[in-house]
Amino acid sequence: MAEERPGSWFGFGFCGFGQALGSGRGRQVLSPEPLRLPDAGTDICGVSAAWSYTAFVSRAGRVLLSGSAGGAADGCRDAWASETLLVVLRDGRGPGPGAELQAWAPGSALRGEPLWAQTVAPEAGREDGAGGGTRAGPLPLLPCARAYVSPRPPLYRPLAPELRARRLELGAEHALLLDEAGQVYSWGGGRHGQLGHGTLEAELAPRLLEALQGLRMAEVAAGGWHSVCVSEMGDIYIWGWNESGQLALPARGLAEDGQTVAGEGHPRLLTRTVAETPEHKQVSGRLLHRQIRGRWSWERQRETSMSDTH
């Protein structure tokens, strides 16, 4: 009997380069379709999507690229795709539990030598329970959870020692960090409200998102200029730019009554009004953009209810 798999991967949106495996080129996939891998036995455990290509990671340690960039490589623990850089976390070349972080040009097909490479040693107390090796990713957060990799120089960027990062996500101009206590920090460009601090000002260092303080978050995701997070209770909060309806609010070219919303500078609670829905455990900024359009409504989080959770 074949091993039962916990779930399947789907792709949708613009697939003009064949970013979603099996979708073909030049297609606009309007609803989620299952990814069709060349080898039906490949078990995908991770996906990282750039605009024109996608990196898939299998449980066997193989990275497969689909779209404007192609190629494959073995011995990989994680991968992170952007238009300017493909970052891969691979098994170390030498003895010991360390891994090697490699930065590649997306068009290199993972052949030859990487543009940049650095050995990443495991941090004390943060090893995998099974093998005792480096706790892998998810990228762009490094296994030590004390630094992250950026698509623009400097590629290796340390985090402040007091930030105990659990997950880190990068948008086009901003970053989101989820710490071990379930609190969210944001920094970088804020001209579209993507930082969630109620202003359009940039933040040079990680700043606690006060609007969500006291609510424990389980996941964060960064779109180009908007942000999403999911609480441990399964509630979705989203903020930032709404030019193309990313926030499920009326947007230019999408609103039927002419009323549009350019963006939202504070996190807003997303609620469904049509029917009961299961809890949301994972979220992607790109996926949520299409998934919620036209089927969700907003409810602004009340100040009093938030203070009750402290």
Side-chain angles (χ1 to χ4, degrees):
M1 177 180 292
E3 180 183 358
E4 183 180 352
R5 297 180 183 177
S8 301
W9 292 94
F10 294 78
F12 57 103
F14 172 68
C15 290
F17 299 98
Q19 298 96 311
L21 285 173
S23 67
R25 292 179 177 269
R27 289 191 57 198
Q28 183 78 13
V29 182
L30 300 180
S31 60
E33 294 183 357
L35 302 179
R36 292 181 287 274
L37 303 175
D39 182 358
T42 302
D43 189 1
I44 295 297
C45 64
V47 175
S48 179
W51 177 72
S52 65
Y53 75 100
T54 307
F56 301 87
V57 184
S58 75
R59 296 190 188 279
R62 185 172 179 81
V63 165
L64 178 66
L65 306 180
S66 178
S68 64
D74 294 313
C76 302
R77 305 183 185 186
D78 199 2
W80 179 67
S82 74
E83 287 301 300
T84 57
L85 211 61
L86 171 65
V87 179
V88 178
L89 187 68
R90 308 186 76 166
D91 295 333
R93 302 184 184 184
E100 185 174 73
L101 186 71
Q102 299 179 348
W104 297 79
S108 67
L110 293 171
R111 296 175 181 171
E113 293 295 323
L115 300 173
W116 174 82
Q118 179 170 327
T119 299
V120 181
E123 180 186 8
R126 284 182 170 261
E127 289 94 10
D128 291 327
T134 304
R135 182 178 66 88
L139 292 171
L141 182 66
L142 298 184
C144 63
R146 294 297 181 88
Y148 66 99
V149 61
S150 169
R152 292 179 290 274
L155 303 181
Y156 182 92
R157 302 195 183 190
L159 292 167
E162 62 270 18
L163 291 175
R164 302 294 293 176
R166 193 169 81 199
R167 189 177 185 92
L168 187 141
E169 293 286 331
L170 297 180
E173 299 174 343
H174 73 297
L176 296 176
L177 182 146
L178 177 67
D179 73 4
E180 292 182 345
Q183 297 297 290
V184 178
Y185 294 77
S186 64
W187 69 98
R191 58 183 175 144
H192 297 296
Q194 65 266 44
L195 298 184
H197 301 302
T199 73
L200 303 182
E201 300 297 324
E203 295 287 342
L204 298 180
R207 176 181 171 184
L208 178 65
L209 200 55
E210 295 180 1
L212 297 175
Q213 193 170 6
L215 299 174
R216 291 182 63 90
M217 296 296 148
E219 293 285 346
V220 294
W225 292 278
H226 71 289
S227 305
V228 191
C229 63
V230 182
S231 74
E232 291 186 349
M233 300 298 294
D235 295 321
I236 296 177
Y237 297 83
I238 191 167
W239 62 96
W241 205 26
N242 191 55
E243 174 68 17
S244 301
Q246 295 96 319
L247 307 186
L249 294 170
R252 186 184 306 169
L254 300 178
E256 297 178 357
D257 57 5
Q259 299 294 320
T260 64
V261 178
E264 177 61 50
H266 287 101
R268 300 187 79 174
L269 174 64
L270 182 63
T271 60
R272 188 163 188 175
T273 60
V274 178
E276 293 291 331
T277 57
E279 291 185 354
H280 298 82
K281 296 302 183 184
Q282 290 185 324
V283 67
S284 162
R286 292 183 177 88
L287 181 148
L288 189 64
H289 180 177
R290 285 193 177 276
Q291 188 70 14
I292 65 178
R293 178 182 166 188
R295 299 191 295 175
W296 300 81
S297 66
W298 284 111
E299 176 181 308
R300 183 179 293 276
Q301 180 73 1
R302 297 179 181 178
E303 294 288 338
T304 54
S305 64
M306 291 179 64
S307 62
D308 290 341
T309 63
H310 285 212

